[in-house]
Every structure is written in C-alpha cells, then in structure tokens.
Amino acid sequence: MTEPLFRRIVVPIANRDDATATATALRPHVAGTDRTVIVVHVIEKSSGAPDKASVEQRKRYAEDVFAIVSDGFDDSRISIETDLRYGTDIATAIIDAAHDSDASAIAFTPRGGSRWRKLLTGDVSHNLIEDSDIPVLVLPRPNGERSASEIRRNARD
C-alpha cells in the first residue's frame, strides 16, 4: 500500500495572510484525520546586508504566524508542529525541514507576485517544485480569494 501524501505534511508559511489562506486550503484535505502538519517559517538571512528587523522581532512574528495556522485546526485531531528555520535560500530551508521531519509531502498555496519581482528575488514556489525530491502539492486558493495577477488584471480593465 502506498503512503498517504498527507501523512506528515510540511506547510511553509511566509506571513499572516499566507497562514490563513494555507490553513483554509489545507483543512479539507486533512479534516477528520489524525495527520501531522509541520508549519515551517523561514527567516531569511541576508548575505552581508543589515536585516530589516531584529531576530527577536522576527521570532515573535513567526510565533504569530504559527498561532494562525494552529488556530485554524483547533477543533480537529490534526497534530501541529512548528519549525522555525534560518537561511539564505528559502526553498532549500523548506526542503531541509521536510527531510528532517520525515515529511510525506510539502504543500503550499501560491502567493503570487509580479514576474519581475520573482525574476529578481527568486521564485520560491518554482524552486520548491524544481528542487524537491519530496512530493510538492500546490493547493488551490480558498474560495473567493484572488491571486495578485487577477487583481492586477481587473485593475487594468
């Protein structure tokens, strides 16, 4: 028998909005089970440039993000684990977290963003999909949420 993809799933979270969207999108796939969700937040270390916020501020922010996901599964049997990582390559840090936690998959909702921004700063979604040897699941956005490209397209019309 094959192992269920949602047995132990790593869920990378970037910010509060991402936490809400991802928990909402993931919940139907794990509802009614006793699966484990490992919430990963990566604090990006800059290579030489000064950081925008102190490490303590970033840790507090990560705790807020973890709490949003945890609250989204409060009334379920889902086990929530958290993993705070530091790294210069976010996709690599997420993949490392998946290996370290014996994850069966990595799942996320795409955050959008302009093509230029992704080209200049790196596209974490693309790098996860290309570089991971663990299955990567792209979850659809929760009902009613639009991607950044949809919002821009509608603004032009």
Side-chain angles (χ1 to χ4, degrees):
M1 184 172 172
T2 61
E3 178 180 299
L5 280 177
F6 290 102
R7 178 185 57 83
R8 287 184 58 80
I9 189 153
V10 161
V11 179
I13 301 296
N15 56 47
R16 291 177 179 104
D17 292 339
D18 188 30
T20 301
T22 302
T24 302
L26 180 62
R27 188 175 171 92
H29 299 284
V30 296
T33 70
D34 58 354
R35 304 293 188 219
T36 300
V37 172
I38 302 116
V39 185
V40 176
H41 180 77
V42 179
I43 294 176
E44 189 172 13
K45 296 188 322 187
S46 58
S47 49
D51 288 330
K52 298 174 192 168
S54 72
V55 173
E56 284 308 311
Q57 286 174 312
R58 289 175 177 233
K59 283 181 180 178
R60 281 193 301 274
Y61 185 80
E63 291 302 321
D64 290 345
V65 169
F66 291 150
I68 291 168
V69 176
S70 185
D71 291 349
F73 291 97
D74 234 5
D75 60 345
S76 71
R77 297 187 335 230
I78 302 300
S79 172
I80 302 289
E81 298 176 10
T82 60
D83 187 352
L84 180 58
R85 297 275 170 146
Y86 300 86
T88 55
D89 183 329
I90 294 173
T92 298
I94 293 166
I95 294 166
D96 289 346
H99 282 285
D100 292 348
S101 62
D102 190 32
S104 54
I106 300 168
F108 68 95
T109 55
R111 290 191 352 235
S114 76
R115 288 184 186 136
W116 284 110
R117 184 176 126 331
K118 289 178 180 181
L119 179 65
L120 295 172
T121 63
D123 185 348
V124 175
S125 300
H126 175 78
N127 292 342
L128 269 179
I129 292 166
E130 287 291 317
D131 299 342
S132 180
D133 58 342
I134 295 172
V136 177
L137 306 167
V138 180
L139 301 168
R141 294 180 172 282
N143 291 341
E145 286 196 24
R146 298 181 309 165
S147 69
S149 60
E150 290 174 310
I151 293 168
R152 282 191 303 278
R153 222 180 359 258
N154 289 340
R156 282 184 253 150
D157 294 343

